[in-house]
Amino acid sequence: MKKILMFAITAIASTTLQAQYSGQVPTNLGGASQNAAAGAVISNFLGPVNEAYQKRREIDLDKFQGSPYTSNTFAPTVLKYNDEVVGSIYYRYNALNEEIEIKKTAAEEEAYQALVKDKEISLLINSKPLSFKTFVTDKKATINGYLSLIEKGSQYDLYERTLVKFTEGQPAQNSFIAAVPSRFTKFTEFYFQKTGVNRIDQIPQKNNKLLKLVDDSKKEELKIFLKENNLNIKSKQDLIKVFEYLNS
C-alpha cells in the first residue's frame, strides 16, 4: 500500500508541481485528470472523525465560551507525504481532540473527515509543517500528538503544541451565584529536539529549568544571554530568541 501511494504521489508531484512554493497553496493542480488523481491519493489518508467526539461533532459553538478548534473555519493548505506534495486540501484543527479535520473543497455542504495520524504526513501552516509526532512531556510521559515547527535550527528544532481543555458548566445555585457556562480553554506547550537525537522533549516554562536541558558547554553563556536581555521563556517571542541564539 505504501509503495502504491508513493508511486502515485511522486507522479503527481513531478508533473503538476514543478514550481516549488513557500507556503503558497496551489490553486490548480494541472487540470481535471490530475485533480482527480490527487483527490484519489488524498482519499487514502482520510478516515472517520474520532467516535469519542462524534456526539459533539455538530455542537453549537455559540453556546460555549471558546472553541475546540484553533479556527472554526476550514482553511486551504497543502498536504505532503514523506516530503512529497500530494495536493491541496482544506483543514481545521480540533485541538481538543488533537485531530485534523479535512475537506477536499471549500463547499459548506461537503462532509469533513479526519486525517489519518501518520508521521509521514504533514500540512503546511503559515509556511511551517504541522505533523504527528512522538514526544516526552515534562512529566516524563511519552505520548503522540501534533506539533507545529516554529524554527528549524542547526542545533535545535523548536516546536509548538496547541491544546484545548473542556470544562463543564455549572447551573446557577441560587439568585446570588450566576451560572457558569461550559467553556473551551486554549493553551500552548513548547518542545525541542536536538540535532541527531531521536527524542523530542517539552520545554519547562522556567529559565533555570531550561538551562538544565542544554549542553554543558552552552549553560553559562545562555544564562548570561537570558539575564542581559531580560528574557522570560514563558513568552513565546522570548523563547524564539533563545533558540535563535542557541542555533547561531
Side-chain angles (χ1 to χ4, degrees):
M1 176 66 173
K2 196 167 186 176
K3 289 182 178 179
I4 295 172
L5 287 174
M6 285 307 302
F7 176 80
I9 292 165
T10 302
I12 293 169
S14 62
T15 58
T16 66
L17 296 165
Q18 296 295 330
Q20 289 300 304
Y21 53 84
S22 57
Q24 296 290 326
V25 178
T27 56
N28 189 310
L29 292 180
S33 62
Q34 290 169 350
N35 279 333
V41 175
I42 290 171
S43 295
N44 288 296
F45 302 127
L46 302 180
V49 174
N50 190 323
E51 291 182 4
Y53 190 71
Q54 203 74 341
K55 292 181 180 179
R56 289 183 291 180
R57 185 176 177 182
E58 302 299 337
I59 59 175
D60 183 355
L61 296 178
D62 292 334
K63 295 180 180 179
F64 297 84
Q65 289 185 350
S67 170
Y69 301 102
T70 52
S71 173
N72 291 338
T73 58
F74 283 84
T77 186
V78 290
L79 184 149
K80 299 176 75 176
Y81 185 82
N82 197 25
D83 288 332
E84 294 285 351
V85 174
V86 176
S88 59
I89 56 170
Y90 289 80
Y91 87 100
R92 180 172 68 174
Y93 182 52
N94 185 328
L96 175 70
N97 211 36
E98 291 198 79
E99 190 166 66
I100 297 174
E101 298 172 0
I102 295 296
K103 295 168 72 172
K104 296 179 185 177
T105 72
E108 290 187 10
E109 65 273 15
E110 181 185 342
Y112 57 85
Q113 293 178 277
L115 186 66
V116 172
K117 293 179 177 178
D118 185 325
K119 292 179 181 179
E120 300 297 334
I121 297 173
S122 63
L123 302 181
L124 277 184
I125 313 299
N126 297 323
S127 303
K128 301 290 186 179
L130 172 70
S131 55
F132 194 64
K133 302 280 189 183
T134 297
F135 44 86
V136 181
T137 70
D138 57 2
K139 300 185 184 301
K140 308 301 180 185
T142 300
I143 60 177
N144 295 316
Y146 281 98
L147 297 181
S148 178
L149 181 68
I150 299 176
E151 178 176 330
K152 186 167 186 61
S154 59
Q155 298 184 56
Y156 297 95
D157 292 342
L158 179 62
Y159 294 93
E160 182 176 17
R161 182 188 184 201
T162 302
L163 296 168
V164 167
K165 177 182 178 182
F166 177 74
T167 304
E168 193 75 45
Q170 298 292 331
Q173 297 180 14
N174 53 54
S175 58
F176 299 101
I177 302 177
V180 177
S182 297
R183 65 183 184 275
F184 298 99
T185 305
K186 187 183 300 182
F187 60 99
T188 304
E189 297 174 349
F190 296 94
Y191 291 79
F192 79 101
Q193 182 175 19
K194 184 180 177 182
T195 301
V197 177
N198 187 27
R199 175 177 165 131
I200 301 174
D201 287 280
Q202 185 174 358
I203 300 170
Q205 290 191 308
K206 293 185 177 180
N207 289 6
N208 62 336
K209 290 188 176 181
L210 173 62
L211 290 170
K212 295 178 180 179
L213 298 178
V214 301
D215 293 342
D216 290 342
S217 60
K218 288 277 188 179
K219 278 183 170 56
E220 191 57 34
E221 60 181 276
L222 178 57
K223 183 177 180 180
I224 295 171
F225 178 77
L226 289 165
K227 185 176 181 179
E228 288 182 345
N229 293 278
N230 194 29
L231 300 177
N232 185 335
I233 63 169
K234 287 184 179 180
S235 160
K236 178 179 177 179
Q237 294 307 313
D238 283 1
L239 184 62
I240 291 173
K241 289 178 182 177
V242 167
F243 275 82
E244 287 176 344
Y245 174 75
L246 289 172
N247 285 319
S248 62

